[in-house]
Amino acid sequence: MKTSIALSSLLASLAAAAESCPDYSDYAQQRHEPFSSGQHKLSYQRPAPACRTFNSSDVEEVIERMESAISDPDLYRLFQNTYPNTLDTAIKWRGVAANNSDEELTFVITGDINAMWLRDSANQMQSYLPVLKADPSRDGVASLYRGVINLQARYLLTSPYCNSFQAPLESRIPAAENGAAAADSVTPPYSNASVFECKYELDSLAAFLEVSANYYNSTGDLDFFGRFQWVSAVQAVLGVARAMQTPTYGADGAVLDSPYKFTRQTTRSTETFANDGLGSPVAAGTGLIRSGFRPSDDSTTFQLFIPANMMFARYLEPTAEIVAGLGAGAPAGLADEMKALAASLRASIAKYGIVPTKRAPDDSSGGHFDTVYAFEVDGFGSSLIMDDANIPSLLAAPFLGYLDAADPVYRRTRALILDAATPNGNPYFMRGPVVGAVGGPHQGPGMAWPMAAIVRILTSDDDDEIAGQLREIVGSTDGLGLIHESINTFDQSHWTRQWFSWANGLFGQMIIDLEVRKPHLLKQSYQ
């Protein structure tokens, strides 16, 4: 009896504490003491322990260790706030499947949008790879990973062309409203009861492969992948990828039925598809996979989006090894099919994704042509030369593990991406006195994305370049001590999305990477 009373009292206390927790959407836009001791006096932005959505002693040990590794007080405060942000604020629900109490589920929101993106949740989990280890319990980061993989598998089996999803029914969380999606016309159709938004993005499929490979490589837990719906979800992913290799025209010139169509009533061209939902025409025979939208959730100009094809090829390879390891637990030939598709995509990217571009004149002949990776192509000869801040991007290709940062085509592409000063640079590289970084059409000209500055650090070996980017990031949070989605390059008080967990976690991930690669840079001052 005493035990029952004590348990009831504890549950009541926890419920009362949860009710008193502030809404983080509001909390993150206010400054909270104690402020950091540096010149920027950055706010402390972690919720009280009782208000955090998941507590990990392993992550807390990393945060404590990094205090001695980072000398600059503002840089440390930014790490302290950002690295645990997903665990502190975005693990909206954890539980098990209604039909199987062994099947863990983890619903991870992006932050200020109460829905789970396949891409975002995979990347939010990636931040905690340094502490991921084999652990059968339901108390650690490994359990979160398993829950994300299981829930993503469910989503892919429900609506494999969609990118963003509602909380599972088991959570009893009401479906979030998306007014923009109310007038969508989408093929194949979907239900708002399970889907928040249905923008087909190849990188969303790649994200499922990525989070799966990351879990397996860190834990060696092969049995997990044969227990629930993972193999079926992989087959669904491959089914979409093969279908989206369909060109616009058949051999006789007839317009083919597209497996995916999308139209929306909107005032923004990037929120809908051209040609009544078909998108721009795509040539036959390229071997590349179409993507309706980019990782920014903006529609593609040309549907053969190279960064997503890179990411998909990259993560097909290790997930094929998982399938092969399952033996009779996976369909015969599935692993070989995945490996063959990965090799084919790499060959297609080399053939169609590398294009000549005219760089700045260097002699009296008026310049020369260099080859670079295109952002998008159509197979007919048209290409889009630019980059966007969101991952996957061309800038992020080495971070994804698709190629080495010393690759000569990548080096030329990188120089173009980070160049806005010549007529042949990146039209979406934003410059200004506050920060300089790649942006994109999603927030438009003048808005730089710290995410791109972080990726620049992760793909650089240049101490001066890294230090310069760190200084700009630390000095451009408007004193709030979290990573914004985007920042006006002339006014750090003009920003978008204060609560954006993926970007926060990526910053922490980058700092941990520097602890290994460039520990001396963490000892510098960024005042």
Side-chain angles (χ1 to χ4, degrees):
M1 179 64 73
K2 289 181 179 179
T3 301
S4 178
I5 293 172
L7 179 59
S8 297
S9 176
L10 175 60
L11 292 174
S13 297
L14 291 173
E19 288 180 1
S20 67
C21 293
D23 184 328
Y24 199 74
S25 292
D26 299 325
Y27 186 87
Q29 297 190 50
Q30 302 166 8
R31 285 169 53 79
H32 309 281
E33 294 183 343
F35 302 132
S36 62
S37 60
Q39 72 179 59
H40 301 296
K41 301 190 182 307
L42 299 184
S43 169
Y44 182 77
Q45 292 287 15
R46 298 193 68 185
C51 295
R52 296 170 188 169
T53 56
F54 187 84
N55 286 282
S56 166
S57 58
D58 291 334
V59 169
E60 296 303 324
E61 288 174 7
V62 171
I63 296 169
E64 184 176 343
R65 183 189 81 231
M66 293 301 292
E67 186 169 14
S68 61
I70 301 172
S71 296
D72 187 282
D74 291 333
L75 183 62
Y76 176 69
R77 171 55 55 83
L78 195 52
F79 174 82
Q80 184 183 33
N81 287 340
T82 59
Y83 185 57
N85 189 255
T86 290
L87 301 187
D88 283 356
T89 68
I91 309 300
K92 188 71 172 180
W93 178 83
R94 298 177 63 223
V96 296
N99 63 348
N100 189 338
S101 61
D102 291 330
E103 185 178 353
E104 298 154 284
L105 301 174
T106 307
F107 180 63
V108 184
I109 61 174
T110 66
D112 56 1
I113 303 175
N114 197 28
M116 181 166 163
W117 266 254
L118 299 178
R119 171 188 58 256
D120 287 50
S121 58
N123 282 284
Q124 286 167 273
M125 286 294 97
Q126 187 182 69
S127 300
Y128 305 112
L129 278 175
V131 299
L132 177 60
K133 55 182 181 278
D135 179 3
S137 78
R138 297 187 178 178
D139 300 325
V141 169
S143 177
L144 292 183
Y145 261 87
R146 292 191 294 269
V148 165
I149 294 167
N150 285 334
L151 190 53
Q152 287 199 5
R154 176 189 291 190
Y155 291 150
L156 288 165
L157 290 171
T158 302
S159 299
Y161 285 87
C162 298
N163 62 319
S164 176
F165 295 85
Q166 305 282 5
L169 291 176
E170 291 92 337
S171 70
R172 299 186 180 180
I173 297 173
E177 294 185 8
N178 183 0
D184 288 354
S185 175
V186 179
T187 301
Y190 65 91
S191 169
N192 282 122
S194 57
V195 173
F196 180 78
E197 188 162 58
C198 197
K199 291 177 171 179
Y200 160 65
E201 300 162 347
L202 178 59
D203 71 277
S204 291
L205 304 183
F208 174 67
L209 304 180
E210 175 189 48
V211 71
S212 301
N214 285 344
Y215 175 79
Y216 176 68
N217 290 337
S218 293
T219 67
D221 183 8
L222 180 63
D223 291 343
F224 163 72
F225 294 95
R227 296 181 64 198
F228 306 110
Q229 301 182 91
W230 185 80
V231 172
S232 295
V234 168
Q235 290 178 291
V237 165
L238 286 180
V240 172
R242 291 296 193 193
M244 292 306 291
Q245 289 179 311
T246 302
T248 302
Y249 306 107
D252 61 355
V255 177
L256 302 175
D257 286 337
S258 175
Y260 177 81
K261 301 176 186 177
F262 183 99
T263 59
R264 170 176 287 178
Q265 295 294 322
T266 178
T267 59
R268 293 173 60 96
S269 63
T270 55
E271 284 293 313
T272 191
F273 265 22
N275 296 316
D276 296 320
L278 285 173
S280 58
V282 176
T286 68
L288 295 168
I289 303 168
R290 292 159 51 192
S291 187
F293 289 84
R294 303 166 182 164
S296 59
D297 293 341
D298 296 326
S299 58
T300 50
T301 299
F302 303 121
Q303 294 187 62
L304 302 179
F305 176 48
I306 297 302
N309 276 268
M310 287 177 167
M311 183 180 179
F312 196 75
R314 159 70 177 90
Y315 286 106
L316 273 173
E317 294 157 345
T319 46
E321 297 300 327
I322 298 173
V323 171
L326 292 174
L334 179 60
D336 289 339
E337 179 187 356
M338 295 168 71
K339 291 176 184 177
L341 180 55
S344 173
L345 286 173
R346 284 184 176 272
S348 295
I349 290 167
K351 183 174 181 180
Y352 295 98
I354 299 175
V355 300
T357 181
K358 189 173 183 180
R359 296 292 284 138
D362 63 351
D363 56 38
S364 59
S365 66
H368 62 283
F369 287 85
D370 276 331
T371 55
V372 296
Y373 285 105
F375 190 62
E376 295 167 1
V377 299
D378 64 1
F380 290 107
S382 296
S383 59
L384 183 60
I385 305 299
M386 59 166 278
D387 204 18
D388 191 284
N390 285 264
I391 303 170
S393 62
L394 294 175
L395 185 63
F399 173 64
L400 296 172
Y402 180 78
L403 48 69
D404 190 273
D407 178 275
V409 181
Y410 173 76
R411 297 302 303 173
R412 292 193 293 271
T413 307
R414 181 187 180 90
L416 183 152
I417 289 167
L418 301 177
D419 176 13
T422 72
N424 300 294
N426 178 11
Y428 286 102
F429 185 86
M430 311 304 177
R431 293 178 296 156
V434 173
V435 63
V438 178
H442 197 68
Q443 294 300 342
M447 302 297 287
W449 288 54
M451 178 179 286
I454 295 167
V455 170
R456 185 172 179 179
I457 292 170
L458 284 164
T459 55
S460 176
D461 193 49
D462 185 296
D463 285 10
D464 291 338
E465 180 180 27
I466 293 170
Q469 293 298 292
L470 285 174
R471 187 171 291 105
E472 288 189 359
I473 295 170
V474 170
S476 61
T477 76
D478 200 21
L480 292 170
L482 287 170
I483 301 297
H484 308 286
E485 177 191 56
S486 68
I487 304 167
N488 186 291
T489 60
F490 284 80
D491 179 7
Q492 68 166 295
S493 294
H494 179 191
W495 46 262
T496 62
R497 294 192 70 186
Q498 179 60 9
W499 183 19
F500 183 24
S501 286
W502 174 16
N504 282 289
L506 186 67
F507 178 85
Q509 187 177 346
M510 174 269 294
I511 292 294
I512 292 173
D513 176 69
L514 288 179
E515 183 192 24
V516 176
R517 290 196 302 128
K518 304 277 187 179
H520 57 283
L521 293 181
L522 299 183
K523 294 297 185 182
Q524 292 187 15
S525 170
Y526 296 95
Q527 299 298 297

